[in-house]
Amino acid sequence: MASLTRLLERNLRNSSTAAGRRLYSQTQEEPAAGTKHEFDDEEFRVLNLRAAKQTDQQKRRVFKKEAALPPRHLKMATDQDWTAVWPGPRTFQPSSVPLPLRQGYTEKGAAPPSKFVNAELMKIPNFLHLTPPAIRQQCEALKKFCTPWPKGLESVEKWEKHFPIEVKSTDYCHALPTIRNPDARRVTLNIKLSDLKFDAHAKDKFLRLVGDRYNPNTGILTIVADRCPLRKQNYDYAMYLLTACYHESFVTEPWEQNKSEADMEYYSFERNKSKQTAEAIINWGIPTDAAKLEVSQDFAQTVELLINEGENEYNLGRYKEEVLKLLSVRNE
Amino acid sequence: MSLLKKCVQQLLENTNLCSQTIAATAAAFHTSPVCNRVQAGRYRVTTKRNRALTYEMANPPHYIAHRKAWNSWNTSSMLDGLRPSQTAIEDVFMRKFMTGTWHALIVSEVIIKRQHNMIRIAAIMRQAISPRKMYFLIGYTEELLSYWLQCPVTLELQTVADKKDVVFKYI
């Protein structure tokens, strides 16, 4: 029952839409020629195999190809201004470059592919925009922004005298939309230790403060700062470290007085027992009120060398000579 | 009965031998020909020898940097390069956009070269559409890509009259 009503409904709807169309579109809609033919003809349609030409069929519009222009380099004069042809970096364009280039690998004997339709030539970066005349032109244009070299800084010695601190940092160029690189923040500060003025205590303390940042072979102190996010901050921090270490090295703390002979970094004859003993031997039998004899400078140096450098044949030989000299014993 | 005994003995010997060989090869390096198969970027020879290859297709990937160059030029792929994944994704997107926009017109690979924030896209096109349409498509591609990627994009095209001009060889 339900299906029947549905069927009826559909028929009704169809008839109503047909009626509507008839009502509203009678004046506007003209039935097409083909449909008219179909409806009017009572007979079967004839399939005409011979009829090659059908006049009523609309001709397909033929796309008229415009002839491509000949390559530009054929039209260019031999004294053409090349910087005008190739002003900036650009992918290789065979029609503009008047060079018989070839690139590509072929089997033995065959010529490499020519410059036309050669994707390999389009891939590789070219420097056709950086010909010597182009560079000369750009230098001429930049000249007006240049300033003369400062007087008094002609040689490396003069730079080093006036600017003892060397600051190094790296800029990075990317082929990316970003201009930032986290490695650009790193700042390296170099200074020769001989450019700083120290006394003995301050130098000792400074070297202890900087630790392995000082290279004793070259005498150069290197401070690397990379803990801050910006280069400026790192530069400031490196300069702060240098200043703080320098001034701190001149401060003598109360606990530094407790430094005993065992804490010394090197052996000094002046403050050791061997000096007292040697003087005691020399001055043996001399009355106390008379002027005391001093140990010779050579002996002091030899003893220092023997203990600081270690025992070797040369040091021991020298020590023997100095001892004999000190005791006025002739070596037979 | 003796035959059966012999058979059993032989069987035992065989199994013993087998177990020995297994023990010997257990620690050995396992290679299988199926795992070693490399197919990407290589084309099979046809019986009629009528498969057209461009220079790019004629040289399989292991010839990159020997016989042919890369299709993407940027600093991300270098050691310690920045944002390599983003650059790769952008390149894939650009290639897809190009092949879709210039439908059935590109007869070479799409070459993407980056310099600072500049992107230069090079390709070889067929002269199948009028120059006017081509100029429109160039502007359209440049405008949309530079809007999406937020950096200037330049299209540097070369055109060929016939599709067969790019054919390097037939296999």
Side-chain angles (χ1 to χ4, degrees):
Chain A
M1 191 64 209
S3 63
L4 191 72
T5 48
R6 214 175 294 138
L7 211 128
L8 268 172
E9 230 173 48
R10 203 182 298 155
N11 282 342
L12 278 171
R13 208 183 298 136
N14 280 351
S15 65
S16 70
T17 49
R21 199 186 295 149
R22 216 173 294 132
L23 268 176
Y24 296 114
S25 61
Q26 221 167 14
T27 49
Q28 293 161 7
E29 223 175 64
E30 278 280 324
T35 53
K36 197 178 184 181
H37 176 81
E38 271 175 28
F39 280 116
D40 291 355
D41 242 350
E42 289 294 313
E43 288 178 19
F44 291 111
R45 282 181 293 154
V46 181
L47 178 64
N48 193 355
L49 289 170
R50 290 272 171 92
K53 275 185 191 173
Q54 279 193 332
T55 46
D56 59 332
Q57 194 186 3
Q58 203 180 22
K59 242 190 178 177
R60 202 177 159 193
R61 202 165 65 88
V62 179
F63 170 63
K64 202 182 170 190
K65 241 185 196 176
E66 285 178 48
L69 292 171
R72 183 187 173 184
H73 72 84
L74 296 176
K75 283 188 191 169
M76 288 194 315
T78 47
D79 56 347
Q80 163 90 36
D81 178 20
W82 179 250
T83 54
V85 178
W86 209 279
R90 195 186 168 203
T91 302
F92 182 79
Q93 194 70 33
S95 55
S96 313
V97 181
L99 303 169
L101 297 173
R102 284 177 173 276
Q103 180 163 344
Y105 175 87
T106 47
E107 295 304 320
K108 217 173 181 183
S114 79
K115 63 176 179 175
F116 287 99
V117 203
N118 196 333
E120 293 307 303
L121 279 173
M122 294 169 80
K123 282 178 194 175
I124 52 167
N126 63 59
F127 293 95
L128 291 167
H129 59 291
L130 291 178
T131 50
I135 292 173
R136 216 170 292 131
Q137 272 183 16
Q138 289 167 9
C139 288
E140 284 297 319
L142 287 174
K143 236 175 203 173
K144 62 184 174 203
F145 300 111
C146 297
T147 51
W149 187 258
K151 275 173 193 163
L153 291 178
E154 286 81 12
S155 65
V156 180
E157 292 78 40
K158 284 179 179 172
W159 310 343
E160 284 177 352
K161 192 190 159 209
H162 292 289
F163 301 100
I165 298 180
E166 189 187 8
V167 179
K168 284 186 209 159
S169 55
T170 316
D171 292 313
Y172 293 88
C173 276
H174 301 285
L176 294 175
T178 176
I179 54 168
R180 318 262 172 239
N181 190 320
D183 287 345
R185 74 183 194 283
R186 190 168 291 122
V187 172
T188 308
L189 188 146
N190 283 338
I191 186 169
K192 271 190 182 163
L193 212 65
S194 53
D195 291 327
L196 296 171
K197 290 185 180 69
F198 287 117
D199 57 20
H201 163 261
K203 186 164 187 178
D204 172 51
K205 193 169 176 183
F206 187 79
L207 290 184
R208 282 163 184 272
L209 284 173
V210 297
D212 58 355
R213 289 174 191 83
Y214 174 67
N215 184 354
N217 298 327
T218 53
I220 291 175
L221 169 74
T222 309
I223 296 175
V224 181
D226 61 352
R227 56 175 62 185
C228 301
L230 294 181
R231 179 185 296 173
K232 173 75 169 54
Q233 295 167 343
N234 278 316
Y235 169 76
D236 288 345
Y237 180 61
M239 293 304 278
Y240 160 75
L241 278 183
L242 181 66
T243 319
C245 286
Y246 184 71
H247 287 290
E248 187 61 33
S249 64
F250 283 93
V251 177
T252 310
E253 300 287 344
W255 43 263
E256 287 182 40
Q257 306 300 333
N258 301 339
K259 192 177 176 185
S260 65
E261 192 53 41
D263 298 329
M264 295 297 170
E265 329 41 72
Y266 56 90
Y267 179 87
S268 174
F269 187 72
E270 288 301 313
R271 52 174 189 245
N272 264 289
K273 177 82 176 160
S274 61
K275 189 193 178 191
Q276 294 169 19
T277 319
E279 280 180 347
I281 292 168
I282 298 171
N283 295 324
W284 188 60
I286 293 175
T288 47
D289 54 334
K292 284 203 170 181
L293 289 174
E294 286 279 316
V295 181
S296 74
Q297 203 62 41
D298 287 343
F299 182 77
Q301 275 179 9
T302 313
V303 174
E304 279 177 4
L305 214 66
L306 185 69
I307 295 174
N308 285 336
E309 268 191 17
E311 290 182 9
N312 55 38
E313 209 171 318
Y314 173 75
N315 284 344
L316 279 175
R318 253 189 85 184
Y319 182 60
K320 179 187 171 187
E321 278 174 24
E322 290 298 328
V323 169
L324 291 176
K325 218 187 278 174
L326 185 80
L327 301 177
S328 323
V329 179
R330 208 186 302 153
N331 190 17
E332 293 296 330
Chain B
M1 195 62 207
S2 63
L3 193 82
L4 199 72
K5 253 185 186 174
K6 240 183 210 172
C7 274
V8 166
Q9 204 168 4
Q10 202 155 10
L11 208 77
L12 277 171
E13 270 177 11
N14 274 349
T15 48
N16 201 16
L17 214 125
C18 266
S19 64
Q20 266 177 9
T21 50
I22 284 168
T25 53
F29 193 79
H30 173 76
T31 56
S32 77
V34 178
C35 293
N36 287 343
R37 185 173 168 77
V38 187
Q39 186 60 44
R42 287 155 183 86
Y43 298 88
R44 220 176 260 183
V45 181
T46 51
T47 44
K48 287 183 177 176
R49 295 256 168 188
N50 59 356
R51 176 172 285 161
L53 294 186
T54 62
Y55 184 83
E56 172 85 25
M57 291 152 85
N59 291 303
H62 62 266
Y63 281 124
I64 292 174
H66 295 264
R67 289 185 189 176
K68 65 178 187 180
W70 294 266
N71 284 324
S72 292
W73 290 73
N74 53 55
T75 54
S76 303
S77 45
M78 288 160 61
L79 185 67
D80 296 335
L82 293 184
R83 41 170 273 159
S85 54
Q86 288 98 319
T87 306
I89 292 287
E90 278 174 16
D91 282 6
V92 169
F93 174 73
M94 271 187 269
R95 292 219 162 83
K96 284 201 172 247
F97 184 79
M98 282 291 288
T99 44
T101 308
W102 300 81
H103 181 71
L105 292 176
I106 301 179
V107 289
S108 72
E109 302 292 318
V110 178
I111 302 158
I112 299 170
K113 293 183 277 187
R114 289 162 181 262
Q115 253 179 346
H116 305 298
N117 70 336
M118 179 96 179
I119 300 175
R120 290 188 288 131
I121 303 175
I124 300 175
M125 302 288 172
R126 277 194 311 135
Q127 293 167 357
I129 55 171
S130 62
R132 201 173 149 178
K133 282 182 185 171
M134 211 168 252
Y135 283 129
F136 168 76
L137 279 183
I138 289 173
Y140 171 81
T141 313
E142 285 181 358
E143 187 67 29
L144 281 184
L145 282 179
S146 62
Y147 176 73
W148 284 323
L149 305 174
Q150 290 296 307
C151 47
V153 178
T154 318
L155 234 62
E156 287 163 338
L157 305 179
Q158 206 184 126
T159 56
V160 284
D162 193 3
K163 207 196 274 184
K164 282 178 184 162
D165 289 355
V166 292
V167 173
F168 179 67
K169 66 174 177 185
Y170 291 92
I171 59 167

Short mmCIF file of all heavy atoms in Angstrom, two decimals, chain A residues 13 45 93 126:
data_model
loop_
_atom_site.label_atom_id
_atom_site.label_comp_id
_atom_site.label_asym_id
_atom_site.label_seq_id
_atom_site.Cartn_x
_atom_site.Cartn_y
_atom_site.Cartn_z
N ARG A 13 4.05 14.32 -8.93
CA ARG A 13 5.09 15.37 -8.88
C ARG A 13 5.63 15.63 -10.27
O ARG A 13 5.79 16.76 -10.70
CB ARG A 13 6.21 14.93 -7.95
CG ARG A 13 6.91 16.11 -7.31
CD ARG A 13 8.06 15.63 -6.45
NE ARG A 13 7.62 14.79 -5.35
CZ ARG A 13 8.23 13.66 -4.99
NH1 ARG A 13 9.27 13.22 -5.66
NH2 ARG A 13 7.79 12.96 -3.98
N ARG A 45 16.34 6.72 -38.29
CA ARG A 45 17.38 7.61 -38.81
C ARG A 45 18.29 6.80 -39.72
O ARG A 45 18.49 5.61 -39.50
CB ARG A 45 18.21 8.19 -37.66
CG ARG A 45 17.49 9.32 -36.98
CD ARG A 45 18.33 9.88 -35.89
NE ARG A 45 18.49 8.90 -34.81
CZ ARG A 45 19.52 8.90 -33.99
NH1 ARG A 45 20.48 9.78 -34.13
NH2 ARG A 45 19.59 8.01 -33.04
N GLN A 93 69.81 30.75 -19.02
CA GLN A 93 68.83 30.92 -20.10
C GLN A 93 69.58 30.79 -21.42
O GLN A 93 70.33 31.68 -21.80
CB GLN A 93 68.17 32.30 -19.97
CG GLN A 93 66.92 32.47 -20.79
CD GLN A 93 65.77 31.64 -20.25
OE1 GLN A 93 65.69 31.46 -19.05
NE2 GLN A 93 64.90 31.14 -21.10
N ASN A 126 75.17 29.77 -11.55
CA ASN A 126 76.11 30.40 -12.47
C ASN A 126 76.51 31.78 -11.95
O ASN A 126 75.84 32.36 -11.11
CB ASN A 126 75.54 30.49 -13.88
CG ASN A 126 74.32 31.36 -13.93
OD1 ASN A 126 74.37 32.53 -13.59
ND2 ASN A 126 73.20 30.78 -14.35
#
